[in-house]
Amino acid sequence: MDQPLQYGEYLSSLKKMSNKSSQGSSGFKVAFHKHYWIDICHFLVRSLTESFHSKELSITLKQGVITCIPKGNKDKLYLKNWRPISLLNVEYKIDLASIAARIKSVLTQLISEDQSGFIPGRLTGDNIRLV
């Protein structure tokens, strides 16, 4: 768990991401990363590994763009019909998805069997039987 993530973990996370995912300040979308993965993977993995060793993300990975998007087909003249969202860089999303996948692989060992909510393979009904 405490080792740097590997090429395959990043690629697996990227493949699971939707091409419709928004880009952050870098301007590069998920589809770009998938299409050019073989060309950019070494740079990305090296950058994220450096972040792991230095225990700090690069400046661009710490940045997000906050913008507002309209709520459905509601009247856009009213502020209440808009909602704020943060657009994060795809590189950051790849890193976080890879970390989450690694943690997910040992989650059931880390969390007591008494905790059943939001744990794959566990049902809230299990707690009722436990009580």
Side-chain angles (χ1 to χ4, degrees), residues 1 99-122:
M1 291 300 292
I99 292 168
R102 187 180 276 189
I103 291 172
K104 188 176 180 181
S105 69
V106 296
L107 200 59
T108 56
Q109 299 164 10
L110 298 174
I111 298 177
S112 167
E113 291 181 21
D114 296 341
Q115 172 66 41
S116 59
F118 309 106
I119 306 294
R122 296 185 188 173

Side-chain angles (χ1 to χ4, degrees), residues 13-94:
S13 295
L14 177 62
K15 285 182 177 180
K16 292 176 185 174
M17 295 176 77
S18 168
N19 284 345
K20 295 181 180 181
S21 182
S22 61
Q23 77 274 10
S25 60
S26 70
F28 296 113
K29 295 184 176 188
V30 171
F32 171 87
H33 286 79
K34 287 180 179 180
H35 188 269
Y36 291 104
W37 178 252
I38 199 70
D39 298 317
I40 64 172
C41 65
H42 303 293
F43 301 108
L44 180 62
V45 171
R46 191 169 48 198
S47 171
L48 296 174
T49 301
E50 177 59 30
S51 293
F52 174 83
H53 289 301
S54 68
K55 297 181 177 25
E56 186 173 355
L57 293 172
S58 66
I59 292 171
T60 56
L61 291 183
K62 292 183 204 176
Q63 295 174 341
V65 176
I66 299 174
T67 188
C68 291
I69 60 172
K71 293 180 181 177
N73 294 328
K74 296 184 178 183
D75 190 353
K76 296 175 186 169
L77 294 176
Y78 297 103
L79 187 58
K80 67 180 182 179
N81 294 333
W82 292 80
R83 63 184 174 98
I85 61 166
S86 296
L87 303 176
L88 304 172
N89 288 329
V90 173
E91 298 84 3
Y92 177 78
K93 293 177 186 179
I94 294 169

